[in-house]
Amino acid sequence: MRLSLTTWNINSVRLRIDLVAKFLKSARPDVLCLQETKCIDDAFPLKRFKRLGYEHVALNGQKGYHGVAIVSKIPFESKDIRTFCDKVDSRHISVSFGEKAKIEKLLVLHNFYVPAGGDIPDPALNEKFDHKLRFLDEMKACEPLHPRGEDRHILVGDLNVAPHENDVWSHKQLLKVVSHTPVETEKLKAALAAGEWVDVARERIPMSEKVYTWWSYRAADWTVGDRGRRLDHIWVSRALKDAVSDFKILRDARGWERPSDHVPVTVTLDV
């Protein structure tokens, strides 16, 4: 069975539901993981997704901020929500796929929205940055995020860290900018290593190549200078490394009308 899965920080699912529909009609992934949905569960546009063929939905929303969701053409076996840093702020949701989806070996999917961290990269001066660092530490320590052996797990989302030099437009100029500071990149890499995860983008694209998934709203024209960062990630467990058959970043979506500042990232696996 071939499974296609997209992660996308949509920056308000209700505001951009037409863009989501445009993408789903064109790309038709089996599963879509959204971050920063910015709405309570009761306000999520369920009917629109169901008309598009995505009848199975797992939600963890909150009013005006954060929020994650998984919408799927195929049914879930289970759903789960975890909290981090003792905050109920809707930054994680997970589902599993198995017999109901006609998948023989259980497949577990985690969808994350890691705190952005504010503007000042000093945890003593910036509570938001302190929260981000503690969140990354808890991800590293979280046992369910440590797949081993034949465990078939996928972790996706807006992790709000660009970990490698060519994941940002200028390594030197962004070393003191939140999302690419050494303390953040080291903590994200530590979480990756603790789970023995495979970073799909960097498994398939050489480290020497620039890769971005986000371009700031602050630039009048996002294409000028191409000042992007790779903040959106897809990780797979070692057991799924050889199952990856395709990987795409839909850069053009940043140029759509009233876009998110993030673009969809899609992986295809033979499961």
Side-chain angles (χ1 to χ4, degrees), residues 52-236:
L52 290 162
Y54 294 81
E55 297 186 358
H56 308 282
V57 181
L59 300 174
N60 182 13
Q62 67 183 96
K63 185 177 181 179
Y65 296 94
H66 318 136
V68 286
I70 301 174
V71 299
S72 174
K73 292 180 178 180
I74 58 177
F76 309 132
E77 292 294 313
S78 64
K79 306 174 188 178
D80 188 34
I81 292 170
R82 299 191 71 84
T83 57
F84 292 78
C85 304
D86 296 321
K87 288 178 179 284
V88 182
D89 57 357
S90 301
R91 294 185 178 277
H92 168 269
I93 193 164
S94 66
V95 299
S96 65
F97 300 98
E99 289 183 15
K100 293 177 184 177
K102 298 181 181 178
I103 294 175
E104 290 184 11
K105 294 182 180 179
L106 195 69
L107 191 68
V108 177
L109 169 63
H110 293 274
N111 180 19
F112 272 96
Y113 176 46
V114 171
D119 294 325
I120 302 169
D122 184 337
L125 300 176
N126 179 4
E127 183 180 341
K128 291 181 178 179
F129 193 67
D130 177 65
H131 177 208
K132 182 177 190 174
L133 299 184
R134 289 187 294 109
F135 194 102
L136 292 169
D137 284 339
E138 287 194 19
M139 284 181 69
K140 175 188 173 184
C142 182
E143 194 60 34
L145 302 182
H146 298 164
R148 294 291 185 262
E150 297 302 310
D151 291 343
R152 299 177 354 133
H153 292 198
I154 306 168
L155 188 156
V156 308
D158 176 5
L159 305 186
N160 261 316
V161 180
H164 302 293
E165 287 192 19
N166 284 325
D167 291 338
V168 294
W169 64 272
S170 173
H171 172 62
K172 289 183 179 179
Q173 292 184 69
L174 270 69
L175 277 172
K176 294 183 179 180
V177 174
V178 173
S179 79
H180 192 61
T181 64
V183 64
E184 293 169 88
T185 61
E186 287 166 10
K187 286 182 182 295
L188 187 71
K189 290 175 184 176
L192 181 97
E196 297 182 6
W197 296 100
V198 175
D199 178 352
V200 174
R202 283 309 181 188
E203 183 69 19
R204 298 181 68 86
I205 303 170
M207 285 288 189
S208 58
E209 290 187 26
K210 295 281 190 182
V211 184
Y212 312 139
T213 65
W214 173 92
W215 292 262
S216 175
Y217 284 134
R218 295 176 184 176
D221 185 345
W222 69 279
T223 64
V224 175
D226 196 21
R227 296 187 170 192
R229 305 178 203 174
R230 184 173 74 101
L231 303 181
D232 305 272
H233 299 260
I234 297 178
W235 298 353
V236 298

Side-chain angles (χ1 to χ4, degrees), residues 5-11 16 19-20 23-24 27 29 32-36 111-112 156-160 201 205 210-217 222-223 226-234 247-267:
L5 184 152
T6 298
T7 180
W8 192 4
N9 177 319
I10 195 57
N11 193 7
R16 296 189 170 84
L19 292 189
V20 177
F23 171 75
L24 292 178
L32 174 64
C33 296
L34 296 170
Q35 303 88 39
E36 218 172 344
N111 180 19
F112 272 96
V156 308
D158 176 5
L159 305 186
N160 261 316
I205 303 170
K210 295 281 190 182
V211 184
Y212 312 139
T213 65
W214 173 92
W215 292 262
S216 175
Y217 284 134
W222 69 279
T223 64
D226 196 21
R227 296 187 170 192
R229 305 178 203 174
R230 184 173 74 101
L231 303 181
D232 305 272
H233 299 260
I234 297 178
F247 176 80
K248 294 177 181 176
I249 298 171
L250 187 58
R251 177 188 173 94
D252 289 352
R254 184 60 180 84
W256 292 351
E257 188 175 353
R258 296 184 75 190
S260 171
D261 42 1
H262 298 253
V263 298
V265 182
T266 303
V267 66

